Amino acid sequence: MNTSLITNIKNSFITKFESEPIMIFSPGRINIIGEHTDYNDGFVFPAAVDKGIVAGVQKSDSNTSSAYAADKDETIEFSLNNLKPLAKGSWQNYILGVVAEIQNRSKTIGNFNIAFGGDIPGGAGMSSSAALENSVVFGLNELFNLGLSKHDMILISQKAEHNYVGVKCGIMDQYASMFGIENNALLLDCRTVQSKPFEIDFKDHELILINTNVKHSLSDSAYNDRRSVCESVAEMLNVKALRDATEFDLESIKDRVTPENYQKALYVIQENDRAVRASKAMQQGDLETLGKLIYASHDGLQNQYKVSCEELDFLVAQAKLNENILGARMMGGGFGGCTINLISKTETESFKTFVSKAYKNEFNKECSIYSIKLSDGTHLIK
Ligand code: GAF
């Protein structure tokens, strides 16, 4: 864990609010495979990482509550009554949303102060937003003894994102951030919201992330559009969610959907299957197959689901040129953020140099490269 971040946040809290906070770490996540399948009740394969949000939280005697975003040096003060999303809010709405959704469950909290900061850049597709939501709900649950289970907490975080941020996200990010297990990825069934841990040891291979450092602005509306396409196709098929459909079922309504929507639904059905196959390949230590599934996932995201962008496609194309990279794909919602790459450890350093130069030449901007360590989910820092 990032000890200097913890010290900074704790000190910021003490300076600003003149009391001693409880400290929480809430991780971001990676996703090995299973993209845009979570809101289709399908399978995903995420893991919490050792980067995320550190928050200090404490009760307050004042008649308002305050939140301080240390990275931006911005503060918001609010009353716990009549909460509403801020029209021009960004990070503020994650916090207000979590508080409002706690109240919607008839739980009572008193005023509080929170200070937070993080070490994953927003827009990296590593879910700093779920990490923030989880840190708030986790902290308030501790402080006010709300008796919420981890499952309750992630549903509160998810609802905050739906109702206060306006992104109709699935449950993957909040789940991975809350339930992460050190050195493990979680094969999560998003219908039952139960997961199976897989210890990750790729031996002479590893996972690295390459951040495009771009986030194209259409991402939120495109995300919600994709979700409603999936829901409408599921309805036409008379199933609860696309998870319940086969390619054969989809074929039967081909003449009733647009070719674009047909491809999107087909992508989801195929990606769901890839996630399950990837877990089997991993169990058998078959990294070649895992890598092929990862490349196929990108191909579907790029050409069928259409949530990639030229920067992500470029990075994946560079990976494909290198036979020591078994698989690479865009990760998360899309339209920017990171690619995840399964690479031979002996190749990592030279590929880093190669891809950084190539990216700079192509786009005249820098990419960032991260090694990752799989970590435990949201917890108190003792
Ligand atoms: C975003 C969402 F928040 C997740 O729920 C998931 O749908 C993901 O995009 C795509 O797999 O991170």
Side-chain angles (χ1 to χ4, degrees):
M1 228 183 305
N2 186 333
T3 48
S4 67
L5 177 63
I6 298 170
T7 311
N8 284 345
I9 297 299
K10 189 167 185 181
N11 290 342
S12 303
F13 187 99
I14 294 170
T15 312
K16 212 163 166 60
F17 302 119
E18 296 177 341
S19 65
E20 187 79 16
I22 60 165
M23 299 296 296
I24 290 130
F25 174 69
S26 191
R29 60 108 189 87
I30 58 161
N31 185 25
I32 297 174
I33 198 164
E35 217 64 88
H36 289 275
T37 44
D38 60 350
Y39 52 83
N40 289 293
D41 275 5
F43 289 92
V44 291
F45 214 154
V49 294
D50 62 341
K51 295 184 185 347
I53 296 285
V54 170
V57 202
Q58 194 47 273
K59 293 179 183 172
S60 158
D61 296 333
S62 141
N63 47 19
T64 55
S65 295
S66 292
Y68 174 61
D71 300 334
K72 297 184 184 279
D73 194 21
E74 289 173 3
T75 306
I76 171 186
E77 197 181 319
F78 53 97
S79 155
L80 295 177
N81 304 320
N82 296 320
L83 287 170
K84 285 192 187 60
L86 300 185
K88 291 212 168 105
S90 56
W91 62 270
Q92 298 88 341
N93 284 336
Y94 295 101
I95 297 187
L96 299 175
V98 167
V99 174
E101 296 301 337
I102 290 175
Q103 292 173 333
N104 279 346
R105 295 196 164 214
S106 307
K107 297 278 181 190
T108 309
I109 60 168
N111 280 304
F112 68 95
N113 295 317
I114 179 168
F116 71 93
D119 57 1
I120 35 178
M126 292 171 71
S127 225
S128 54
S129 44
L132 175 58
E133 292 149 4
N134 281 352
S135 72
V136 179
V137 68
F138 193 93
L140 296 178
N141 188 47
E142 285 291 320
L143 279 183
F144 295 104
N145 290 317
L146 301 178
L148 296 167
S149 69
K150 286 186 173 184
H151 274 97
D152 295 330
M153 289 193 265
I154 61 171
L155 294 177
I156 286 172
S157 292
Q158 184 194 27
K159 277 270 176 287
E161 189 132 350
H162 287 189
N163 298 333
Y164 270 66
V165 182
V167 179
K168 303 282 178 200
C169 63
I171 198 66
M172 169 170 74
D173 300 356
Q174 290 79 7
Y175 187 96
S177 167
M178 183 66 76
F179 287 91
I181 302 174
E182 194 176 5
N183 298 329
N184 281 258
L186 308 171
L187 179 66
L188 170 65
D189 179 337
C190 297
R191 171 163 282 162
T192 59
V193 197
Q194 300 292 331
S195 68
K196 183 172 170 220
F198 282 68
E199 195 165 345
I200 300 296
D201 177 4
F202 291 142
K203 309 260 183 311
D204 49 358
H205 284 74
E206 63 182 331
L207 293 171
I208 61 167
L209 302 182
I210 310 178
N211 191 351
T212 56
N213 290 321
V214 298
K215 184 77 199 164
H216 296 294
S217 58
L218 71 169
S219 58
D220 287 0
S221 60
Y223 186 92
N224 292 344
D225 286 352
R226 297 298 181 285
R227 182 169 182 153
S228 65
V229 167
C230 292
E231 286 168 355
S232 69
V233 175
E235 205 178 306
M236 288 171 82
L237 287 168
N238 223 352
V239 291
K240 187 160 175 276
L242 284 183
R243 183 248 178 87
D244 303 308
T246 62
E247 289 187 38
F248 186 72
D249 298 332
L250 186 62
E251 185 69 31
S252 71
I253 57 158
K254 194 167 186 178
D255 54 349
R256 290 164 51 209
V257 288
T258 63
E260 292 77 20
N261 290 351
Y262 176 83
Q263 285 303 325
K264 289 188 178 104
L266 182 61
Y267 160 79
V268 170
I269 294 169
Q270 292 175 339
E271 178 74 353
N272 198 41
D273 183 49
R274 278 190 288 266
V276 175
R277 276 159 53 205
S279 72
K280 294 194 177 128
M282 225 140 84
Q283 223 153 19
Q284 291 156 0
D286 180 358
L287 294 189
E288 298 279 338
T289 299
L290 175 63
K292 285 190 185 129
L293 292 166
I294 291 174
Y295 274 134
S297 169
H298 185 81
D299 192 54
L301 288 157
Q302 176 184 354
N303 299 310
Q304 296 173 279
Y305 214 59
K306 297 198 185 297
V307 290
S308 188
C309 62
E310 56 173 341
E311 293 87 349
L312 289 164
D313 296 341
F314 178 82
L315 290 177
V316 172
Q318 298 307 302
K320 273 195 178 153
L321 297 174
N322 188 322
E323 59 179 16
N324 294 305
I325 301 178
L326 299 181
R329 64 176 200 88
M330 56 148 275
M331 192 182 77
F335 303 103
C338 292
T339 62
I340 181 165
N341 301 260
L342 178 57
I343 184 171
S344 159
K345 285 178 182 164
T346 54
E347 190 66 17
T348 304
E349 281 316 309
S350 64
F351 182 65
K352 277 185 183 173
T353 313
F354 168 81
V355 79
S356 302
K357 267 198 201 136
Y359 190 79
K360 177 89 199 229
N361 276 344
E362 186 74 13
F363 299 108
N364 199 24
K365 59 184 164 244
E366 309 287 337
C367 60
S368 313
I369 305 182
Y370 317 125
S371 306
I372 41 185
K373 209 175 151 316
L374 306 189
S375 98
D376 284 335
T378 310
H379 59 270
L380 273 178
I381 304 168
K382 303 272 184 213

